[in-house]
Amino acid sequence: MRELQRIWTAPKTLLVLLLLAVLNLAVFAGFCRTESGHYAEEAQQRSEQTETYLTSGYQQYLSYITAQSQAQSILGALGKQSSFITRNREQTIADFKALGELTLQSGEENGIRTLLRFTLTDYLMLLAPLLLVMELITAQRSACGAMLRCTKKGRCQLMLWRMLALFSVSAVSVLLLWGGNLMYSSVFFGDPVLDRPLQSIMEFQQCRFALTVGEWFAAMGICKLFAVFCIALIFWLVLSVCQPILSVLVLLLTVGGQWLCYMLIVPAVSFNYPKFCNLFALLDADLFFTDYCNLNWFSYPFGMFESCVIACAILLILISVSCIVCIAMLHPFVVGGRVQYYGEKLRAWCSVRFGCHSLFWNEGKKLLIAQRGLLILVITAALGYSLWQDLMFYTATDYQMLIIYEQYEGEVTDEKLTKIADRIERLENNVQQYKISVQHAIDIGLSDFAVAEAQSKLAQAENELHRYQDVQAALLDVRHYTEDTGYDAWWIRQNAYIHLFSESAGVRRCGMLLLLCLVFLFSGIGAYENQYGANPLLRSTKRGRWGRNRSKLLWIVGLSSIAALALYGIHALRIADSVGFAFMEAPMHSITILRDLPFSISLRSFILLFMAARMLAAVLFALAVAWIGSRCRNTQNALLICLMIFLLPAALCETGIGILRPADWICWLGLYQ
């Protein structure tokens, strides 16, 4: 009991959970704002589809499933089919027959749809339990851990209390992150109506469980809890029993292999057991409620959800017993010594043959290998690729305006102004003629169809006239600005440039990822030597002062610049791919939001300058992180302090707390303050 109390009263545990909750909420809030823009564009179409689905669509789907299964059963009786196919058809009819009496209700669906698409929370849930596992392993290998093992209660009983503590941390992590997403989506999008049937939402049309929306939330949370707890136990067992090199290989085969099976195996293949009987399937859990599939177990159909639960329950029991036996009862029980020996021999051979022994490369190895900077960069790259897929920019296409842009876009000349004035004069004459035609049709008593046709032509002519008048006003505005300020300006399409230079949910997601990358990457670069007490010794040498600091500075400048260029470059390239930058040789004051700047260069040059300024901001930010981290005793304290200073205010601002706007480091990195 005291071990459980010790873990939960430790400030580190509470701080990690708080930071994870705030970080998840901040990223989820940005994702919600991005998705809301997409939902707004398809709101009308989605509303019509939902109304049709609630009134008749779901019942038609149930009838179709039953009729199709019965028809296949009749056809199967004429031929030779396996017993599994016959039983599977009967099982399908029985599963969906019980759902025919459900009364579907309308409610807000965008929040639930956003929850289904946002998968980052599933992996953030693992961080707090895994950090606790690392802390427990450190305690096991310490001198205090050896003393505790000498007592009767310091073995199995202590192990059980620590497993209970790990389970409680996993439960709180799931509650804070998954529950936080539910609460925020309900506030942001609206009440999802928790007591209505789950099948009221179109995405759950194939769900065979008679659940309400609230019961689905609870079931998802329970699935995620047991998946997180089981994965944490696997890490604890492998890292405690195996030598470092073997532990990496075993974790890649077990945890990494399950993740690959879940991501790569298609549900429709015959051998789909590794996809469904999988911890990551239980961690995601969406598939069990949005799809329908029965697994073939010895010619008998069995639901994919039940199969996954039973398989994971057996794995959980085996892992729990193995942890108690191998860590508590048979300690020290270590395997992989031979693999570790050959790994060290290979490392020494590669160091002699191919190693770079300069001070610069040694600092790089400390940063990228010892402090796991390479892993952080790989994770950042993976999340950046995910951003590339998620970021979308839409612009309404007006083909009439495209024709006008082709005629008048570019530098505003007297010829263009005269041309559009003549065009407007002709359109005004056309409008007058159409008005006379409409009045004449009414006076002579033509049919309603003829009058409506004349009025339609009049409306088209008036719309075209208003469009050209707006363009003339924009051209004159550009001409007057040029004459008043002396800065050149053209009339061009501005949508892509406004997306690039304005603050938006998409660019804030890029800034949040850059912020996390810089904090995790450079918070320990100065605290690493403090952790081992080597800093005074290094400073006593000449190269340990100037040379070491110069090498660290080069790594900070290089990696932070590359990270900023890559992440903000993803945003810029996505805009160029979706909307496209027009007339990049035009003066920068052609964009209205840039007209207050006191210098004039081309838009292409300004974009390069803007990206260079963002890279400089990232370098300065990374230097601040490294300086604060160098004042800490160890890398863990440095990381937590930097997260509190830099991440916490930015994350709170992301959730809508405007009073912290001056401390919104994401805006400073993106140059929006």
Side-chain angles (χ1 to χ4, degrees):
M1 186 65 184
R2 290 183 178 178
E3 182 68 9
L4 185 64
Q5 182 180 359
R6 179 189 70 83
I7 291 174
W8 274 110
T9 54
K12 181 180 177 181
T13 303
L14 301 176
L15 185 59
V16 167
L17 289 171
L18 175 63
L19 288 174
L20 282 176
V22 174
L23 171 62
N24 175 74
L25 188 60
V27 180
F28 183 68
F31 187 77
C32 286
R33 286 197 294 271
T34 303
E35 292 299 298
S36 64
H38 302 164
Y39 297 148
E41 296 178 358
E42 56 184 21
Q44 182 63 32
Q45 179 183 1
R46 187 74 186 188
S47 177
E48 296 174 356
Q49 292 176 352
T50 302
E51 184 178 357
T52 303
Y53 171 77
L54 292 176
T55 54
S56 60
Y58 184 66
Q59 294 299 327
Q60 291 176 0
Y61 171 75
L62 294 179
S63 301
Y64 169 76
I65 290 294
T66 304
Q68 187 183 43
S69 299
Q70 292 175 349
Q72 290 179 354
S73 179
I74 295 173
L75 293 175
L78 302 177
K80 185 177 180 181
Q81 291 187 350
S82 66
S83 58
F84 168 74
I85 296 177
T86 303
R87 295 188 182 107
N88 188 41
R89 283 197 299 264
E90 296 173 353
Q91 183 67 40
T92 302
I93 295 174
D95 287 339
F96 285 95
K97 185 178 180 181
L99 302 176
E101 299 179 356
L102 292 178
T103 302
L104 305 187
Q105 303 176 25
S106 62
E108 179 56 52
E109 300 179 0
N110 290 334
I112 299 175
R113 200 173 299 124
T114 304
L115 284 173
L116 291 174
R117 293 194 59 194
F118 189 73
T119 58
L120 180 62
T121 298
D122 297 337
Y123 301 100
L124 291 178
M125 291 175 188
L126 294 168
L127 291 182
L130 292 181
L131 288 175
L132 179 59
V133 165
M134 301 302 296
E135 182 181 345
L136 294 176
I137 292 175
T138 303
Q140 289 172 190
R141 296 173 179 174
S142 64
C144 182
M147 292 178 61
L148 286 174
R149 286 193 49 78
C150 297
T151 64
K152 183 178 181 180
K153 296 182 179 181
R155 293 186 287 273
C156 291
Q157 188 172 346
L158 179 63
M159 184 67 188
L160 291 174
W161 280 112
R162 286 179 172 176
M163 291 175 65
L164 179 60
L166 181 61
F167 181 81
S168 63
V169 170
S170 302
V172 173
S173 178
V174 172
L175 181 63
L176 288 176
L177 274 63
W178 175 246
N181 287 356
L182 169 61
M183 293 180 62
Y184 186 85
S185 63
S186 300
V187 172
F188 188 85
F189 291 104
D191 183 15
V193 190
L194 299 180
D195 58 347
R196 59 175 172 153
L198 183 61
Q199 285 78 5
S200 301
I201 302 170
M202 200 181 305
E203 280 73 12
F204 297 95
Q205 177 178 258
Q206 301 183 42
C207 179
R208 66 183 180 88
F209 301 106
L211 300 174
T212 64
V213 175
E215 291 170 345
W216 172 75
F217 280 120
M220 290 281 289
I222 294 172
C223 292
K224 294 176 186 297
L225 169 59
F226 282 96
V228 168
F229 181 57
C230 195
I231 292 174
L233 284 180
I234 292 175
F235 271 84
W236 193 1
L237 176 64
V238 173
L239 294 176
S240 299
V241 171
C242 301
Q243 292 282 1
I245 296 179
L246 183 62
S247 65
V248 173
L249 297 177
V250 172
L251 289 175
L252 286 176
L253 290 175
T254 55
V255 180
Q258 289 193 63
W259 182 80
L260 287 176
C261 288
Y262 177 68
M263 297 300 293
L264 300 180
I265 295 179
V266 180
V269 300
S270 58
F271 191 75
N272 54 8
Y273 308 100
K275 180 178 183 65
F276 297 115
C277 302
N278 192 308
L279 285 174
F280 286 95
L282 194 65
L283 181 64
D284 186 16
D286 296 341
L287 191 66
F288 301 130
F289 301 96
T290 57
D291 291 330
Y292 179 81
C293 181
N294 291 323
L295 303 186
N296 184 356
W297 292 103
F298 307 105
S299 298
Y300 284 89
F302 204 63
M304 57 179 177
F305 179 68
E306 292 86 346
S307 301
C308 180
V309 169
I310 293 175
C312 293
I314 295 173
L315 179 62
L316 179 60
I317 294 173
L318 293 177
I319 294 297
S320 301
V321 173
S322 300
C323 285
I324 295 172
V325 173
C326 298
I327 299 176
M329 299 176 63
L330 299 181
H331 183 83
F333 181 79
V334 181
V335 296
R338 183 65 62 180
V339 176
Q340 186 72 19
Y341 170 76
Y342 286 116
E344 292 294 334
K345 294 284 288 184
L346 179 63
R347 185 192 63 80
W349 183 83
C350 292
S351 178
V352 173
R353 298 296 191 280
F354 310 107
C356 298
H357 305 289
S358 65
L359 184 59
F360 174 77
W361 287 110
N362 281 330
E363 290 296 327
K365 285 192 293 184
K366 283 197 301 183
L367 176 63
L368 298 177
I369 306 300
Q371 300 177 50
R372 298 173 179 83
L374 187 60
L375 177 62
I376 295 170
L377 292 176
V378 171
I379 294 174
T380 303
L383 293 176
Y385 177 73
S386 176
L387 271 179
W388 169 266
Q389 293 181 317
D390 290 342
L391 290 178
M392 297 296 293
F393 299 92
Y394 298 97
T395 301
T397 302
D398 187 342
Y399 294 101
Q400 294 295 330
M401 282 302 301
L402 291 179
I403 296 174
I404 294 175
Y405 273 119
E406 291 179 0
Q407 296 175 351
Y408 300 102
E409 192 174 21
E411 186 177 1
V412 180
T413 60
D414 294 334
E415 180 183 356
K416 290 181 180 179
L417 292 175
T418 303
K419 182 179 179 181
I420 196 170
D422 295 339
R423 176 67 175 174
I424 290 175
E425 184 178 356
R426 290 195 300 271
L427 289 174
E428 289 175 345
N429 294 332
N430 291 339
V431 169
Q432 292 298 326
Q433 293 176 2
Y434 282 124
K435 287 181 178 179
I436 295 173
S437 300
V438 170
Q439 188 62 42
H440 179 69
I442 296 174
D443 292 340
I444 65 176
L446 293 179
S447 64
D448 294 340
F449 177 78
V451 172
E453 185 178 5
Q455 290 175 342
S456 175
K457 292 181 179 180
L458 173 61
Q460 293 178 3
E462 288 178 339
N463 290 335
E464 186 176 5
L465 174 61
H466 293 327
R467 187 180 290 113
Y468 274 90
Q469 287 174 342
D470 293 340
V471 172
Q472 184 187 40
L475 292 174
L476 291 175
D477 178 69
V478 172
R479 169 60 68 88
H480 294 157
Y481 173 81
T482 302
E483 294 175 351
D484 294 341
T485 62
Y487 292 123
D488 291 334
W490 294 2
W491 184 70
I492 61 175
R493 282 167 279 189
Q494 302 191 21
N495 290 330
Y497 298 103
I498 291 176
H499 282 308
L500 179 62
F501 299 130
S502 300
E503 185 178 6
S504 62
V507 76
R508 286 190 65 85
R509 291 178 65 189
C510 295
M512 175 64 77
L513 183 55
L514 177 60
L515 176 68
L516 291 172
C517 175
L518 297 179
V519 169
F520 277 92
L521 191 60
F522 299 118
S523 61
I525 194 171
Y528 185 74
E529 288 86 0
N530 298 340
Q531 182 170 315
Y532 299 100
N535 196 40
L537 178 63
L538 292 173
R539 289 183 58 84
S540 64
T541 64
K542 182 178 179 180
R543 299 190 67 189
R545 292 190 296 271
W546 300 108
R548 181 170 62 98
N549 292 333
R550 183 171 61 250
S551 300
K552 288 183 177 181
L553 178 62
L554 291 176
W555 280 105
I556 291 174
V557 171
L559 292 180
S560 60
S561 301
I562 293 173
L565 180 62
L567 292 176
Y568 286 121
I570 287 174
H571 180 252
L573 291 175
R574 202 63 174 131
I575 295 173
D577 183 62
S578 302
V579 183
F581 294 103
F583 282 87
M584 296 186 67
E585 69 277 5
M588 56 176 280
H589 291 97
S590 304
I591 309 302
T592 54
I593 61 176
L594 302 180
R595 288 183 178 176
D596 293 334
L597 297 179
F599 58 91
S600 179
I601 55 177
S602 68
L603 281 171
R604 179 181 286 105
S605 301
F606 185 78
I607 291 175
L608 295 177
L609 180 63
F610 188 63
M611 297 300 293
R614 281 178 165 177
M615 293 168 62
L616 178 60
V619 170
L620 296 176
F621 182 84
L623 291 174
V625 170
W627 183 83
I628 293 174
S630 66
R631 296 313 189 253
C632 301
R633 294 182 178 180
N634 54 61
T635 55
Q636 292 183 352
N637 291 344
L639 177 60
L640 290 176
I641 291 175
C642 289
L643 286 175
M644 288 186 63
I645 294 176
F646 297 107
L647 176 66
L648 191 59
L652 292 175
C653 286
E654 192 75 18
T655 59
I657 302 178
I659 195 173
L660 296 175
R661 179 75 177 185
D664 188 359
W665 305 110
I666 298 177
C667 286
W668 288 106
L669 282 173
L671 303 180
Y672 295 117
Q673 282 285 16

